[in-house]
Each structure stands twice: as structure tokens, then as C-alpha cells.
Amino acid sequence: MCGVVGILLKTGNAVPDVIEGLSRLEYRGYDSAGVLTINNQNFQKVRAVGKLESLKNELRSAPLSGAIAIGHTRWATHGGVTIDNAHPHESGRVAIVHNGIIENHRYLKKLVQDQGYQCTTDTDTEVIAHLIDYYLRLGNEHHIAVQKTLNQLEGTFSIVAVFKDRPSLMIGARHGSPLAFSVSEHGSFIASDAIALSLWSNHVCYLEDKDMIIIDDHKVVVLDEHGQPIERPFKNISHLNLHSDKLGYSHYMLKEIFEQPQVVHDTFSSLLNDDESDIKLDARLESILMSAKRIKIVACGTSYYAGLLCQYWMEAYGHMGVDVEIASEFRYRQPYLGDTDLAILISQSGETIDTLASLDLLKSQNIPTLGIVNVLESSLMRRSDFYIQTLAGTEVSVASTKAFSAQITVLLALVFKKIEPSDRELKIKKFLNIPKHMNCVLDQFDDIMKLCNPLIQSKDVIYMARGMNTPIAFEGALKLKELSYINAQGYPAGELKHGPIALIDESLYAVVIAPSNDCLPKTLSNVQEILARGGKVILVTDHHSKIDSINPYPQHIYRLPDCDAIFQPFLTVMIMQMLAFGVANLKGQDVDQPRNLAKSVTVE
Ligand code: M6R
């Protein structure tokens, strides 16, 4: 889950460009970073633990310069967060940066040690450098040495390698982890994704799996998995959404929370026909969806919770069976797919490795696949049979907010498509008002922040709901965990007595989402059970629920603006996001880049 950059310039210093590229890739990992260049046939490198800012500080006191440079921003998999483990790693004539995991690194380590190499880091990466150097020493051409090394690696990876004896040669390779390149009049550029490459060109070429790219004195050759030269198409990326600034907000997350009404409006509008009476889809996708009896949704994390919500919606309103699967389980559990008519894969980044592996599995069984994806030209977008783009724009904060709202907007549109046309038109009309209701919730930001104070002392928080707010309770718990490092768990409220009730004492807080519906009395009983045992409750309900008679009374009550029950998750999720933001902010945590996380999970 690291970011790699390699640059070969015709003239000038590539190091500042590498750093700029890394800043676009920091979402992939930010525990350490490094850059390396070649001068007088010597490697020179600077590495630093911490965010890219630390590397920039180091470079201020020890500047680097060179026409060729590689850089890395790390999310540690093997070996702690130390300078020694930070990339680039070098051995003899070669230096590399690597994203991914080398699963057979222990075996390879023994192999290179037997050849006299000393392994000085705890990483799985170091063996790649030693192996390439080993094959160079045997007299192989540089690209052959790299190819022979790649043949021995198991796992998923992308690498960029440079050589001190050939300072105008840069070799990249992709095996599972994404890698793309671009060329301009100034030089040649390789990076983990297009968002970095867009700094230098509007046209990028995505390498296919097992491709190798050789940039030799600015001549570019791509070799396919059989070592044969191959032309890969260039894509125009001028329309890519680039990082915007915080626009006056204290944090990207806060900005992204506040962007949600617009995002929902834009995403939904992009799916409407001209007179806004129907949902427009690709004709072939529409025909598959309309005749489908059972769909499978596969995703991870927040995107998985979007899928769970779709299950409630689709089964209740679209009258179709929906199974929702966690991608990392789905891909390995030999799923039965005999009754699946359509598979939907949901991903903000479009690069989540387990979701992509699930896509491959589904495609191998000839199941039509629809990717719901935010990042344009991502692997999921390119590899799904159909895709719908969520128009959330670039989500910078590692914790997902607006991407979730955009995902559930697309999913709701698919549900609308499955309901009777007369009802569909009415629901579309009503949904067009939802951004207004979302703004009403945002207007109460200060009130919601007041609810955060009591939560910061908690060691455990449980989130509960019934029905279609249950996935929102799960999402609320995930957000709190990610941002504030408080242990939080989401439960269907009916599960309380089946175990979680044992957790309740005076130190426990419960966030309960219970709008007025048939289940309200049951959820209020759960609230009473928590309060009776000394636990404290933040109750999220609406103006119609009769709760005056309950005793003891919840410590905090938030009342939602009125809207149809089917649309409530758009409002309740924002309250969950704001709570998590507020608690983390009060605790002084790094809201936009929480510890140990990365925005794009490209390793298992
Ligand atoms: O890019 P994806 O939507 O595939 O990512 C899936 C999860 O990694 C992601 O939603 C993660 O759970 C977020 N950090 C949630 O805030």
C-alpha cells in the first residue's frame, strides 16, 4: 500500500518532482518516505520516518540533486517504521522502490544470503534488490536481471529500479499492484497512479499485469508477460479530479462531510434522464438488472457497509435477493454463484486488492460485473464489464465520508430502477430534495459537536440500530475506531441480549439510531436496558418518536429533520461521521491521516 515514483529528466533535478509526486501518493501510506538519485555513478539517498513533511525537512538540510530519481512513501507491512526499513533499498549496482508484498521473501532471503549478501533490514523488499544485483553480477543485461528476479517473486508488487552504472536507465514492473507511466518533452515518469502522473502529462499509460517498462535514455519499451514488446494505449486524464485545498475548513474530512449534499445531488443527477422521471443506465446493464433475481455485492470496509444498506433497500423495495460479501472472505471461500445474475463491486479507490481479486473470480465464472467506483481510470473501472462513477470528487481524508454517500446514491438509483415506474417517479422527485435535508443536518454541526465531549473519555462505545440504519451503526463504529482509536462496535439492536449487554457499565456509551417506525418500541426497550445498567446513551431519533415516558431518560437526544424512512440513512450517516470527527478532533488526533491506515488497500 505504498506509493512509488520514478523520474528520468532530460535536464534538471528530478528530486523536487519526485517529492511532488509522492505528495499525491501519500494517501497510500505515510509512515516513512525516501528518495534516491544517482551522481557520478553513486547512489545518494535521504529517508525519514513520519509523513512526507519529515522527508522534506531532511532534504532542506541535505539537498539531493540528479536527473534520475526514485521515491517512496511507505505503509509498513514487513518490518517496523524505521529509517533502515524505509525505501529506497539498494544492493550493489541497483536501487529499488517497491509497493506490495513478497510472500516468499524468507526463502529468497536465505537464497541471497547463501550468495554472500547481507540482509540489513526487516523488509521483504530488500531481497529484490539483492537478487537483481546477483543476476547483474552473473553478467545479465539489466532488464534480464530484473526479469529473472521477477520470475522468482511470489505475491503482489510493483517496483521501479535504477542502476548506478546506467544512470539513464529506469525499469518498472507491475505484478498485481498498479503502475502507470507518462512521457513529456521534459522526461519520463513512472508512478503508482495517474494522480501523481497528472503533474507532468495529461496522457498516461496503465501497465497491464506482469508488464515491464524499460526507459532507456528516454526510449520507452513495454514488454508483456512473455517478454514481447507491446503497445499499451494512453488515456487522457485531463478530467481527473485533483487535490483541492481545504477551502477554509480545518480538515479535509470536515470539508468532505460538508460536500455531501452536492455530491449526492451530482451523482444522482448523472443517473437521471432528461426529464428526471427515470434512471438511465447502459442498455445492456439495464436489461441484466431488470431481469435479475439475485445479485451479489462485494466490497470492503465502508464500501461494504454501503452494500449492506443496499441489501435492505433492494429486498424491501426492489423485491430482489441480495447477498453482500466482504471481499477478502469472498475471494477465498469458493462461493456458490449459480443463482447470481449480476455482481456489484463497490470501491472508492477502485484499487482494493481483495475487491479486484473478487472481480477476477466473478469474471472467471462469467457473472456480469458492475463496478461502482469513485476514481476514474482505476483498475475496477477498467476491468468491470460495466461501471458507474460516483461523483464524489477526490476524497483526500483517509476516512471515507462523501464517497459512501455517493455510493449509496448510486445503489438507491439501482433500487429505484427495480420499482414500479409510477412509484419510481415519485421516489425520484422526493429524493431530489434529500440534499436540502442533508444541509439541515449540517446546519446543526455545533449541536452535534456538543455530543462529542462525553465520548472522549470512553474506552468502549457501542452503536446500535435496527433495519436500514443497522449498516449506518456499523459505519459509525468504524469511523469512530479509525479516527479516535476508541474501541467501537456496531450491533443490530436485537443482538444486545445475545452478548454485548455484558459490556455495559457506567463507563460505556451507546449511540442508538432509532427513528420512529414499527421497531421503535423494541429499540427503546434496548435503550432502557442500557440505561438501567448504568450505561449512557446518545439517541438519534426524529420529531415523531414518543420517548417522554421512558425512564431512565437518555443523556443526549438528537432529532433528525423529517424525511421518508427510505432516505434516512443519508442523514444518519452524516451524524455518525460528525461524531467521529468531533471526538477525534477533541482528542487531538490526526483526523485526515489516522495512524496505521492507508486510503488505498493494495495488499492483502
Ligand atoms: O477504496 P475502497 O472503497 O475499496 O476501500 C475500502 C476500505 O478500505 C475503506 O472503505 C476503509 O474502510 C476506509 N478507511 C473507511 O473509512
PDB file of all heavy atoms in Angstrom, residues 283-306:
ATOM      1  N   ALA A 283     -27.748   0.302 -21.711  1.00  0.00           N
ATOM      2  CA  ALA A 283     -28.883  -0.541 -22.103  1.00  0.00           C
ATOM      3  C   ALA A 283     -28.678  -2.006 -21.711  1.00  0.00           C
ATOM      4  O   ALA A 283     -29.597  -2.672 -21.228  1.00  0.00           O
ATOM      5  CB  ALA A 283     -29.094  -0.433 -23.614  1.00  0.00           C
ATOM      6  N   ARG A 284     -27.448  -2.495 -21.876  1.00  0.00           N
ATOM      7  CA  ARG A 284     -27.202  -3.910 -21.560  1.00  0.00           C
ATOM      8  C   ARG A 284     -27.248  -4.148 -20.048  1.00  0.00           C
ATOM      9  O   ARG A 284     -27.811  -5.129 -19.572  1.00  0.00           O
ATOM     10  CB  ARG A 284     -25.825  -4.318 -22.113  1.00  0.00           C
ATOM     11  CG  ARG A 284     -25.784  -5.744 -22.629  1.00  0.00           C
ATOM     12  CD  ARG A 284     -24.717  -5.901 -23.705  1.00  0.00           C
ATOM     13  NE  ARG A 284     -23.402  -5.455 -23.274  1.00  0.00           N
ATOM     14  CZ  ARG A 284     -22.535  -6.198 -22.601  1.00  0.00           C
ATOM     15  NH1 ARG A 284     -22.836  -7.416 -22.239  1.00  0.00           N
ATOM     16  NH2 ARG A 284     -21.344  -5.717 -22.285  1.00  0.00           N
ATOM     17  N   LEU A 285     -26.694  -3.191 -19.309  1.00  0.00           N
ATOM     18  CA  LEU A 285     -26.735  -3.301 -17.847  1.00  0.00           C
ATOM     19  C   LEU A 285     -28.190  -3.266 -17.378  1.00  0.00           C
ATOM     20  O   LEU A 285     -28.616  -4.045 -16.515  1.00  0.00           O
ATOM     21  CB  LEU A 285     -25.931  -2.154 -17.214  1.00  0.00           C
ATOM     22  CG  LEU A 285     -26.049  -2.001 -15.708  1.00  0.00           C
ATOM     23  CD1 LEU A 285     -25.530  -3.252 -14.980  1.00  0.00           C
ATOM     24  CD2 LEU A 285     -25.273  -0.765 -15.218  1.00  0.00           C
ATOM     25  N   GLU A 286     -28.952  -2.360 -17.973  1.00  0.00           N
ATOM     26  CA  GLU A 286     -30.365  -2.228 -17.591  1.00  0.00           C
ATOM     27  C   GLU A 286     -31.097  -3.559 -17.813  1.00  0.00           C
ATOM     28  O   GLU A 286     -31.848  -4.018 -16.942  1.00  0.00           O
ATOM     29  CB  GLU A 286     -31.034  -1.108 -18.399  1.00  0.00           C
ATOM     30  CG  GLU A 286     -32.496  -0.986 -18.059  1.00  0.00           C
ATOM     31  CD  GLU A 286     -33.136   0.269 -18.647  1.00  0.00           C
ATOM     32  OE1 GLU A 286     -32.407   1.252 -18.900  1.00  0.00           O
ATOM     33  OE2 GLU A 286     -34.362   0.246 -18.839  1.00  0.00           O
ATOM     34  N   SER A 287     -30.842  -4.177 -18.955  1.00  0.00           N
ATOM     35  CA  SER A 287     -31.585  -5.411 -19.225  1.00  0.00           C
ATOM     36  C   SER A 287     -31.157  -6.513 -18.243  1.00  0.00           C
ATOM     37  O   SER A 287     -31.986  -7.288 -17.774  1.00  0.00           O
ATOM     38  CB  SER A 287     -31.439  -5.786 -20.700  1.00  0.00           C
ATOM     39  OG  SER A 287     -30.767  -6.967 -20.861  1.00  0.00           O
ATOM     40  N   ILE A 288     -29.874  -6.554 -17.875  1.00  0.00           N
ATOM     41  CA  ILE A 288     -29.434  -7.579 -16.891  1.00  0.00           C
ATOM     42  C   ILE A 288     -30.079  -7.292 -15.535  1.00  0.00           C
ATOM     43  O   ILE A 288     -30.615  -8.181 -14.873  1.00  0.00           O
ATOM     44  CB  ILE A 288     -27.892  -7.587 -16.772  1.00  0.00           C
ATOM     45  CG1 ILE A 288     -27.269  -8.053 -18.083  1.00  0.00           C
ATOM     46  CG2 ILE A 288     -27.439  -8.477 -15.620  1.00  0.00           C
ATOM     47  CD1 ILE A 288     -25.763  -7.869 -18.176  1.00  0.00           C
ATOM     48  N   LEU A 289     -30.056  -6.016 -15.142  1.00  0.00           N
ATOM     49  CA  LEU A 289     -30.607  -5.661 -13.822  1.00  0.00           C
ATOM     50  C   LEU A 289     -32.111  -5.949 -13.763  1.00  0.00           C
ATOM     51  O   LEU A 289     -32.618  -6.492 -12.775  1.00  0.00           O
ATOM     52  CB  LEU A 289     -30.335  -4.182 -13.527  1.00  0.00           C
ATOM     53  CG  LEU A 289     -30.895  -3.650 -12.213  1.00  0.00           C
ATOM     54  CD1 LEU A 289     -30.127  -4.232 -11.013  1.00  0.00           C
ATOM     55  CD2 LEU A 289     -30.829  -2.119 -12.152  1.00  0.00           C
ATOM     56  N   MET A 290     -32.814  -5.576 -14.818  1.00  0.00           N
ATOM     57  CA  MET A 290     -34.273  -5.710 -14.791  1.00  0.00           C
ATOM     58  C   MET A 290     -34.711  -7.171 -14.720  1.00  0.00           C
ATOM     59  O   MET A 290     -35.733  -7.490 -14.125  1.00  0.00           O
ATOM     60  CB  MET A 290     -34.918  -5.028 -16.007  1.00  0.00           C
ATOM     61  CG  MET A 290     -34.693  -3.527 -16.042  1.00  0.00           C
ATOM     62  SD  MET A 290     -34.935  -2.730 -14.456  1.00  0.00           S
ATOM     63  CE  MET A 290     -36.658  -2.332 -14.536  1.00  0.00           C
ATOM     64  N   SER A 291     -33.920  -8.067 -15.328  1.00  0.00           N
ATOM     65  CA  SER A 291     -34.345  -9.474 -15.286  1.00  0.00           C
ATOM     66  C   SER A 291     -33.681 -10.222 -14.119  1.00  0.00           C
ATOM     67  O   SER A 291     -33.983 -11.382 -13.875  1.00  0.00           O
ATOM     68  CB  SER A 291     -34.025 -10.155 -16.613  1.00  0.00           C
ATOM     69  OG  SER A 291     -32.637 -10.087 -16.812  1.00  0.00           O
ATOM     70  N   ALA A 292     -32.796  -9.551 -13.403  1.00  0.00           N
ATOM     71  CA  ALA A 292     -32.050 -10.247 -12.336  1.00  0.00           C
ATOM     72  C   ALA A 292     -32.968 -10.637 -11.180  1.00  0.00           C
ATOM     73  O   ALA A 292     -33.850  -9.884 -10.790  1.00  0.00           O
ATOM     74  CB  ALA A 292     -30.920  -9.350 -11.829  1.00  0.00           C
ATOM     75  N   LYS A 293     -32.713 -11.823 -10.648  1.00  0.00           N
ATOM     76  CA  LYS A 293     -33.462 -12.292  -9.471  1.00  0.00           C
ATOM     77  C   LYS A 293     -32.589 -12.185  -8.222  1.00  0.00           C
ATOM     78  O   LYS A 293     -33.070 -12.095  -7.111  1.00  0.00           O
ATOM     79  CB  LYS A 293     -33.848 -13.768  -9.644  1.00  0.00           C
ATOM     80  CG  LYS A 293     -34.767 -14.052 -10.822  1.00  0.00           C
ATOM     81  CD  LYS A 293     -36.219 -14.028 -10.358  1.00  0.00           C
ATOM     82  CE  LYS A 293     -37.218 -14.131 -11.471  1.00  0.00           C
ATOM     83  NZ  LYS A 293     -37.136 -13.085 -12.484  1.00  0.00           N
ATOM     84  N   ARG A 294     -31.282 -12.275  -8.442  1.00  0.00           N
ATOM     85  CA  ARG A 294     -30.374 -12.276  -7.294  1.00  0.00           C
ATOM     86  C   ARG A 294     -29.076 -11.568  -7.685  1.00  0.00           C
ATOM     87  O   ARG A 294     -28.504 -11.852  -8.731  1.00  0.00           O
ATOM     88  CB  ARG A 294     -30.078 -13.729  -6.916  1.00  0.00           C
ATOM     89  CG  ARG A 294     -29.405 -13.863  -5.614  1.00  0.00           C
ATOM     90  CD  ARG A 294     -29.643 -15.176  -4.887  1.00  0.00           C
ATOM     91  NE  ARG A 294     -29.433 -14.926  -3.464  1.00  0.00           N
ATOM     92  CZ  ARG A 294     -30.411 -14.647  -2.620  1.00  0.00           C
ATOM     93  NH1 ARG A 294     -31.661 -14.637  -3.027  1.00  0.00           N
ATOM     94  NH2 ARG A 294     -30.135 -14.386  -1.368  1.00  0.00           N
ATOM     95  N   ILE A 295     -28.663 -10.641  -6.846  1.00  0.00           N
ATOM     96  CA  ILE A 295     -27.372 -10.004  -7.122  1.00  0.00           C
ATOM     97  C   ILE A 295     -26.431 -10.216  -5.945  1.00  0.00           C
ATOM     98  O   ILE A 295     -26.867 -10.471  -4.818  1.00  0.00           O
ATOM     99  CB  ILE A 295     -27.495  -8.487  -7.430  1.00  0.00           C
ATOM    100  CG1 ILE A 295     -28.124  -7.721  -6.270  1.00  0.00           C
ATOM    101  CG2 ILE A 295     -28.236  -8.232  -8.704  1.00  0.00           C
ATOM    102  CD1 ILE A 295     -28.121  -6.229  -6.479  1.00  0.00           C
ATOM    103  N   LYS A 296     -25.174 -10.101  -6.256  1.00  0.00           N
ATOM    104  CA  LYS A 296     -24.151 -10.251  -5.222  1.00  0.00           C
ATOM    105  C   LYS A 296     -23.397  -8.939  -5.156  1.00  0.00           C
ATOM    106  O   LYS A 296     -23.027  -8.387  -6.195  1.00  0.00           O
ATOM    107  CB  LYS A 296     -23.217 -11.399  -5.620  1.00  0.00           C
ATOM    108  CG  LYS A 296     -22.210 -11.690  -4.595  1.00  0.00           C
ATOM    109  CD  LYS A 296     -21.793 -13.136  -4.465  1.00  0.00           C
ATOM    110  CE  LYS A 296     -22.736 -14.254  -4.341  1.00  0.00           C
ATOM    111  NZ  LYS A 296     -23.051 -14.750  -3.039  1.00  0.00           N
ATOM    112  N   ILE A 297     -23.201  -8.440  -3.934  1.00  0.00           N
ATOM    113  CA  ILE A 297     -22.420  -7.206  -3.777  1.00  0.00           C
ATOM    114  C   ILE A 297     -21.155  -7.568  -3.014  1.00  0.00           C
ATOM    115  O   ILE A 297     -21.215  -8.267  -1.998  1.00  0.00           O
ATOM    116  CB  ILE A 297     -23.221  -6.138  -3.005  1.00  0.00           C
ATOM    117  CG1 ILE A 297     -24.511  -5.804  -3.752  1.00  0.00           C
ATOM    118  CG2 ILE A 297     -22.386  -4.889  -2.785  1.00  0.00           C
ATOM    119  CD1 ILE A 297     -25.362  -4.722  -3.110  1.00  0.00           C
ATOM    120  N   VAL A 298     -20.022  -7.106  -3.518  1.00  0.00           N
ATOM    121  CA  VAL A 298     -18.741  -7.440  -2.889  1.00  0.00           C
ATOM    122  C   VAL A 298     -17.945  -6.153  -2.670  1.00  0.00           C
ATOM    123  O   VAL A 298     -17.834  -5.327  -3.584  1.00  0.00           O
ATOM    124  CB  VAL A 298     -17.920  -8.416  -3.769  1.00  0.00           C
ATOM    125  CG1 VAL A 298     -16.701  -8.920  -3.014  1.00  0.00           C
ATOM    126  CG2 VAL A 298     -18.766  -9.601  -4.231  1.00  0.00           C
ATOM    127  N   ALA A 299     -17.414  -5.981  -1.465  1.00  0.00           N
ATOM    128  CA  ALA A 299     -16.659  -4.758  -1.166  1.00  0.00           C
ATOM    129  C   ALA A 299     -15.947  -4.924   0.170  1.00  0.00           C
ATOM    130  O   ALA A 299     -16.080  -5.954   0.835  1.00  0.00           O
ATOM    131  CB  ALA A 299     -17.606  -3.562  -1.115  1.00  0.00           C
ATOM    132  N   CYS A 300     -15.217  -3.903   0.572  1.00  0.00           N
ATOM    133  CA  CYS A 300     -14.512  -3.897   1.859  1.00  0.00           C
ATOM    134  C   CYS A 300     -14.847  -2.611   2.633  1.00  0.00           C
ATOM    135  O   CYS A 300     -15.136  -1.575   2.031  1.00  0.00           O
ATOM    136  CB  CYS A 300     -12.995  -3.877   1.650  1.00  0.00           C
ATOM    137  SG  CYS A 300     -12.372  -5.277   0.764  1.00  0.00           S
ATOM    138  N   GLY A 301     -14.725  -2.691   3.945  1.00  0.00           N
ATOM    139  CA  GLY A 301     -14.807  -1.504   4.806  1.00  0.00           C
ATOM    140  C   GLY A 301     -16.090  -0.730   4.611  1.00  0.00           C
ATOM    141  O   GLY A 301     -17.193  -1.284   4.537  1.00  0.00           O
ATOM    142  N   THR A 302     -15.941   0.570   4.507  1.00  0.00           N
ATOM    143  CA  THR A 302     -17.095   1.446   4.349  1.00  0.00           C
ATOM    144  C   THR A 302     -17.906   1.089   3.100  1.00  0.00           C
ATOM    145  O   THR A 302     -19.140   1.137   3.118  1.00  0.00           O
ATOM    146  CB  THR A 302     -16.600   2.911   4.290  1.00  0.00           C
ATOM    147  OG1 THR A 302     -16.122   3.248   5.592  1.00  0.00           O
ATOM    148  CG2 THR A 302     -17.672   3.874   3.877  1.00  0.00           C
ATOM    149  N   SER A 303     -17.210   0.718   2.040  1.00  0.00           N
ATOM    150  CA  SER A 303     -17.913   0.348   0.806  1.00  0.00           C
ATOM    151  C   SER A 303     -18.782  -0.889   1.032  1.00  0.00           C
ATOM    152  O   SER A 303     -19.861  -1.027   0.454  1.00  0.00           O
ATOM    153  CB  SER A 303     -16.912   0.082  -0.322  1.00  0.00           C
ATOM    154  OG  SER A 303     -16.148   1.234  -0.557  1.00  0.00           O
ATOM    155  N   TYR A 304     -18.321  -1.793   1.900  1.00  0.00           N
ATOM    156  CA  TYR A 304     -19.118  -2.984   2.248  1.00  0.00           C
ATOM    157  C   TYR A 304     -20.406  -2.552   2.964  1.00  0.00           C
ATOM    158  O   TYR A 304     -21.482  -3.096   2.705  1.00  0.00           O
ATOM    159  CB  TYR A 304     -18.256  -3.909   3.119  1.00  0.00           C
ATOM    160  CG  TYR A 304     -19.037  -5.016   3.785  1.00  0.00           C
ATOM    161  CD1 TYR A 304     -19.479  -6.125   3.060  1.00  0.00           C
ATOM    162  CD2 TYR A 304     -19.335  -4.954   5.153  1.00  0.00           C
ATOM    163  CE1 TYR A 304     -20.200  -7.139   3.676  1.00  0.00           C
ATOM    164  CE2 TYR A 304     -20.057  -5.965   5.767  1.00  0.00           C
ATOM    165  CZ  TYR A 304     -20.490  -7.055   5.035  1.00  0.00           C
ATOM    166  OH  TYR A 304     -21.214  -8.055   5.637  1.00  0.00           O
ATOM    167  N   TYR A 305     -20.286  -1.572   3.850  1.00  0.00           N
ATOM    168  CA  TYR A 305     -21.497  -1.125   4.559  1.00  0.00           C
ATOM    169  C   TYR A 305     -22.493  -0.473   3.586  1.00  0.00           C
ATOM    170  O   TYR A 305     -23.707  -0.573   3.774  1.00  0.00           O
ATOM    171  CB  TYR A 305     -21.139  -0.170   5.706  1.00  0.00           C
ATOM    172  CG  TYR A 305     -20.332  -0.861   6.785  1.00  0.00           C
ATOM    173  CD1 TYR A 305     -19.260  -0.234   7.391  1.00  0.00           C
ATOM    174  CD2 TYR A 305     -20.640  -2.170   7.169  1.00  0.00           C
ATOM    175  CE1 TYR A 305     -18.513  -0.884   8.364  1.00  0.00           C
ATOM    176  CE2 TYR A 305     -19.895  -2.819   8.140  1.00  0.00           C
ATOM    177  CZ  TYR A 305     -18.833  -2.170   8.733  1.00  0.00           C
ATOM    178  OH  TYR A 305     -18.099  -2.816   9.682  1.00  0.00           O
ATOM    179  N   ALA A 306     -21.969   0.190   2.560  1.00  0.00           N
ATOM    180  CA  ALA A 306     -22.867   0.733   1.525  1.00  0.00           C
ATOM    181  C   ALA A 306     -23.626  -0.427   0.887  1.00  0.00           C
ATOM    182  O   ALA A 306     -24.836  -0.355   0.654  1.00  0.00           O
ATOM    183  CB  ALA A 306     -22.064   1.505   0.478  1.00  0.00           C
TER     184      ALA A 306
END
